[in-house]
């Protein structure tokens, strides 16, 4: 996350706190990713982890723990910790301690290095800290991860070793019968850019591409309290895709489509968290900002004239 995104996210959180009427004076935010290659770095295959437990610990000059706070990540892998007053967090560090009961990712067997919170700004007796991405790790790295970063050294040839004898060639083996075809695998996340309009997401032959959320997920769960106040707590993502007729319904339809596209393509115009941020900021603004955001989402969902939809029919 670059500086512009951090400042944008910080502004969104401050506005959310003001609307919700919370009295937190200090906030600490961050995101947890699954380090599928177990290399301690963010890579193309890493994804946000929901249900991961994050502990922020603060120690004094003698190494004694003076304060500790635990929080669990949400659907988008992000977490927020709130503190009363303005505590000194310069001696604190955050780390992943495991996965909670609600986690279904299977990525809580290990954890990457801890990170220190960084003060982004201080304004109106409020402080905002961010933590660089934390990493949770599976029990074993994924098979498609490269092993070139940890090459196995070739064994040294001992001195005065006996001479090697050349064996005669092995006769060719008889050909084997063809193997039976394997069952179809679920679609993988597109490494290349892909953008699919809302109409495609409503077709039954593409239902296998719904990932991260499903058709019955509530809009309030996917987009948070600001969206719940506008659209209610009962409407699902599937019903939101049918929205037509006014800017707010159009925003919901295109926002849901952008969220689904962001989960299916690493190079989509928006990150899942970015979709939620833009959606909520638009809902907190004027009708004009709602319409502008909806049109930006629609342009991204249509590929902006140079990106196509990579869907193939689900098996």
């Amino acid at each position: 996350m670059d500086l512009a995104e951090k400042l944008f996210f910080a502004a969104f959180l401050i506005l959310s706190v003001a609307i919700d009427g919370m009295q937190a004076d200090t906030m600490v935010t961050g995101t947890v990713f699954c380090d599928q290659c177990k290399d301690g770095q963010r890579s193309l295959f890493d994804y946000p982890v929901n249900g991961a437990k994050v502990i922020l610990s603060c120690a004094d000059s003698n190494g004694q723990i003076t304060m500790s706070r635990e929080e669990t990540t949400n659907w988008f892998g992000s977490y927020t910790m709130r503190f009363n007053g303005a505590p000194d967090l310069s001696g604190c560090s955050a780390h992943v301690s495991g996965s909670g009961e609600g986690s279904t990712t299977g990525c809580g067997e290990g954890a990457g290095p801890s990170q220190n919170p960084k003060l982004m700004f201080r304004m109106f007796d409020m402080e905002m800290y961010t933590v660089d991405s934390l990493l949770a790790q599976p029990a074993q790295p994924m098979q498609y991860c490269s092993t070139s970063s940890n090459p196995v050294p070739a064994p040294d040839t001992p001195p005065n070793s006996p001479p090697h004898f050349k064996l005669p060639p092995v006769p060719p083996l008889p050909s084997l019968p063809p193997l039976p075809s394997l069952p179809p695998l679920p679609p993988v996340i597109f490494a290349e850019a892909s953008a699919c309009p809302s109409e495609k997401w409503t077709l039954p032959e593409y239902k296998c591409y719904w990932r991260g959320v499903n058709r019955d997920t509530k809009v309030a769960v996917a987009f948070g309290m600001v969206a719940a106040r506008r659209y209610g707590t009962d409407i699902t993502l599937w019903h939101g895709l049918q929205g037509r007729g006014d800017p707010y319904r159009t925003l919901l339809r295109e926002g849901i489509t952008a969220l689904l596209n962001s989960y299916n393509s690493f190079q989509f115009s928006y990150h899942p968290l970015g979709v939620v941020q833009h959606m909520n900021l638009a809902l907190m603004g004027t009708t004009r900002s709602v319409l502008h955001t909806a049109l930006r989402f629609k342009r991204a969902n249509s590929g902006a004239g140079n990106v196509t939809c990579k869907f193939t029919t689900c098996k």
Side-chain angles (χ1 to χ4, degrees), residues 198-308:
S198 59
E199 296 80 7
K200 295 250 184 187
W201 288 101
T202 61
L203 298 178
E205 57 263 37
Y206 301 135
K207 64 181 180 180
C208 60
Y209 288 96
W210 283 66
R211 66 177 79 244
V213 292
N214 58 56
R215 296 184 176 195
D216 295 326
T217 300
K218 305 294 186 183
V219 169
V221 173
F223 291 99
M225 290 302 300
V226 177
R229 288 170 180 162
R230 164 57 61 175
Y231 301 108
T233 58
D234 294 329
I235 186 172
T236 64
L237 298 185
W238 174 251
H239 286 94
L241 281 176
Q242 322 300 323
R244 298 287 191 280
D246 67 59
Y248 287 94
R249 292 180 181 178
T250 302
L251 173 66
L252 181 59
R253 182 190 71 235
E254 297 303 327
I256 293 171
T257 305
L259 183 66
L260 294 170
N261 281 321
S262 68
Y263 273 128
N264 277 271
S265 175
F266 287 115
Q267 297 187 34
F268 185 65
S269 302
Y270 294 90
H271 183 274
L273 187 59
V275 175
V276 176
Q277 292 173 359
H278 284 79
M279 181 84 167
N280 282 277
L281 285 175
L283 291 173
M284 291 186 291
T286 63
T287 304
R288 179 170 180 165
S289 67
V290 167
L291 183 59
H292 282 182
T293 303
L295 293 177
R296 293 190 193 102
F297 281 155
K298 186 173 181 61
R299 177 174 173 80
N301 295 330
S302 64
N306 52 20
V307 177
T308 60

Side-chain angles (χ1 to χ4, degrees), residues 6-280:
K6 289 180 179 178
L7 291 174
F8 187 85
F9 188 36
F12 163 70
L13 290 173
I14 292 297
L15 287 172
S16 299
V17 169
I19 290 178
D20 288 344
M22 297 181 181
Q23 301 300 319
D25 296 314
T26 300
M27 298 178 62
V28 179
T29 65
T31 307
V32 177
F33 288 86
C34 181
D35 181 15
Q36 296 202 85
C37 293
K38 298 193 72 171
D39 56 3
Q41 300 177 356
R42 285 280 308 279
S43 67
L44 181 67
F45 304 108
D46 298 345
Y47 59 86
V49 179
N50 72 298
K53 292 184 178 180
V54 178
I55 294 181
L56 179 72
S57 301
C58 305
D60 57 19
S61 57
N62 297 322
Q64 299 295 321
I65 300 297
T66 58
M67 180 175 60
S68 181
R69 181 72 58 85
E70 180 179 282
E71 192 59 64
T72 303
T73 58
N74 60 19
W75 282 58
F76 305 101
S78 62
Y79 60 92
T80 301
M81 298 181 182
R82 298 176 174 86
F83 300 87
N84 293 325
D88 182 13
L89 303 182
S90 59
C92 303
S93 64
H95 67 278
V96 178
S97 64
S99 57
E101 296 179 358
S103 176
T104 58
T105 61
C107 194
E109 299 294 333
S114 61
Q115 301 288 351
N116 302 109
K118 300 177 181 178
L119 179 64
M120 292 300 298
F121 63 86
R122 182 182 289 111
M123 180 176 62
F124 302 124
D125 296 328
M126 298 187 68
E127 293 182 348
M128 177 69 189
Y129 288 83
T130 60
V131 179
D132 290 341
S133 298
L134 296 174
L135 300 177
Q137 296 177 334
Q140 297 295 330
M142 299 296 101
Q143 294 181 354
Y144 47 72
C145 294
S146 171
T147 57
S148 59
S149 59
N150 296 299
V152 178
D156 296 330
T157 303
N160 301 323
S161 60
H164 295 282
F165 295 97
K166 186 176 182 180
L167 298 176
V170 178
L173 297 174
S175 60
L176 297 175
L179 296 174
S181 59
L182 296 175
L185 296 175
V188 298
I189 298 177
F190 298 118
E192 70 275 19
S194 174
C196 302
S198 59
E199 296 80 7
K200 295 250 184 187
W201 288 101
T202 61
L203 298 178
E205 57 263 37
Y206 301 135
K207 64 181 180 180
C208 60
Y209 288 96
W210 283 66
R211 66 177 79 244
V213 292
N214 58 56
R215 296 184 176 195
D216 295 326
T217 300
K218 305 294 186 183
V219 169
V221 173
F223 291 99
M225 290 302 300
V226 177
R229 288 170 180 162
R230 164 57 61 175
Y231 301 108
T233 58
D234 294 329
I235 186 172
T236 64
L237 298 185
W238 174 251
H239 286 94
L241 281 176
Q242 322 300 323
R244 298 287 191 280
D246 67 59
Y248 287 94
R249 292 180 181 178
T250 302
L251 173 66
L252 181 59
R253 182 190 71 235
E254 297 303 327
I256 293 171
T257 305
L259 183 66
L260 294 170
N261 281 321
S262 68
Y263 273 128
N264 277 271
S265 175
F266 287 115
Q267 297 187 34
F268 185 65
S269 302
Y270 294 90
H271 183 274
L273 187 59
V275 175
V276 176
Q277 292 173 359
H278 284 79
M279 181 84 167
N280 282 277

